[in-house]
């Protein structure tokens, strides 16, 4: 069974740090681009970052550049998101998602976890 | 940045109805658009990719159309399990999503 399970969320004060993890199973993790997306309470979806299957390309949404770092460990079938200098507006459910790439502009998020909640508040 | 505008933001319908959701982009994205369904407490599920290609395992009552800046998701005969929130998402560049359409029971 294909599964993505996020963990590491919680309550953190503004300016604090948190590291999210995503454990993958049931598919060839090391062949997938992987992503972090988030959803603020009652709001829509926002893509946060992604990483190439071998870890050598990484991209971020402008609002997290310099604060968040995406990484992966293919030997452990795991994806990570290190979040530093957290702000109230980072409060959201964070999802990891696997990306199927058919062509440069023909791709989609095929595999999703259930998410982990990050709350940034004093 | 490409702006994504979904309409309506919410929709009330009955089982058996035909439902259409629209997504408009601020510049042409050819057919680089996906549609997702999300139910409470779950991650989204891919329905349609590249504007009109049905994802494997998705019921054929779901269909997508459009190109350029205007796209539609149609559910031909609404089923009880289809009440959810639907999002469009562009793959032309930064993967922005529409704001969502909440489909509710009438």
């Amino acid at each position: 069974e294909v599964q993505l399970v996020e963990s590491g969320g919680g309550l953190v004060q503004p300016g604090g740090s948190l590291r999210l993890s995503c454990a993958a199973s049931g598919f060839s993790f090391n062949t997938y681009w992987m992503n972090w997306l988030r959803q603020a309470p009652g709001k829509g979806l926002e893509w946060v970052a992604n990483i190439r299957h071998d870890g050598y390309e990484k991209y971020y949404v402008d609002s997290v550049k310099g604060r968040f770092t995406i990484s992966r460990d293919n030997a452990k079938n795991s994806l990570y998101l290190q979040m530093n200098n957290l702000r109230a507006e980072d409060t959201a459910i964070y999802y990891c998602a696997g990306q199927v790439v058919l062509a440069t502009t023909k791709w989609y998020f095929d595999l999703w976890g259930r998410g982990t909640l990050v709350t940034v508040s004093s | 940045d490409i702006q994504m505008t979904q309409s309506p933001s919410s929709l009330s319908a009955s089982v058996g109805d035909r439902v259409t959701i629209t997504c408009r982009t601020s510049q042409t994205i050819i057919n680089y658009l996906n549609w997702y369904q999300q139910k409470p407490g779950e991650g989204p599920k891919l329905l349609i990719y590249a504007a009109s290609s049905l994802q494997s395992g998705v019921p054929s009552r779901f269909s997508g159309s459009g190109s350029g800046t205007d796209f539609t998701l149609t559910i031909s005969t609404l089923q009880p399990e289809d009440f959810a929130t639907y999002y469009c998402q562009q793959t032309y560049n930064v993967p922005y999503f529409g704001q969502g359409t909440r489909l509710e029971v009438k």
Side-chain angles (χ1 to χ4, degrees), chain A residues 20-34:
Chain A
L20 304 184
S21 299
C22 172
S25 59
F27 67 101
S28 299
F29 179 77
N30 61 357
T31 66
Y32 271 72
W33 279 77
M34 293 298 298

Side-chain angles (χ1 to χ4, degrees), chain A residues 36-38 46-50 58-68 90 94, chain B residues 1 94-96:
Chain A
W36 286 101
L37 298 98
R38 65 186 179 184
E46 180 183 36
W47 171 79
V48 173
N50 68 357
K58 305 176 185 182
Y59 299 95
Y60 301 89
V61 69
D62 285 348
S63 60
V64 309
K65 284 179 182 175
R67 299 189 300 124
F68 290 11
D90 296 318
Y94 283 73
Chain B
D1 292 351
V94 177
Y96 293 117

Side-chain angles (χ1 to χ4, degrees), chain A residues 1-17:
Chain A
E1 180 193 4
V2 172
Q3 210 169 12
L4 292 171
V5 180
E6 301 92 339
S7 60
L11 176 63
V12 61
Q13 292 188 340
S17 298

Side-chain angles (χ1 to χ4, degrees), chain A residues 39 105 107 109-110 112 114, chain B residues 32 34 36 38 44 55 91:
Chain A
Q39 188 169 33
T105 50
W107 57 265
F109 300 119
D110 186 37
W112 293 78
R114 288 183 170 267
Chain B
Y32 307 144
N34 302 327
Y36 299 85
Q38 187 180 29
Q55 171 67 342
T91 63

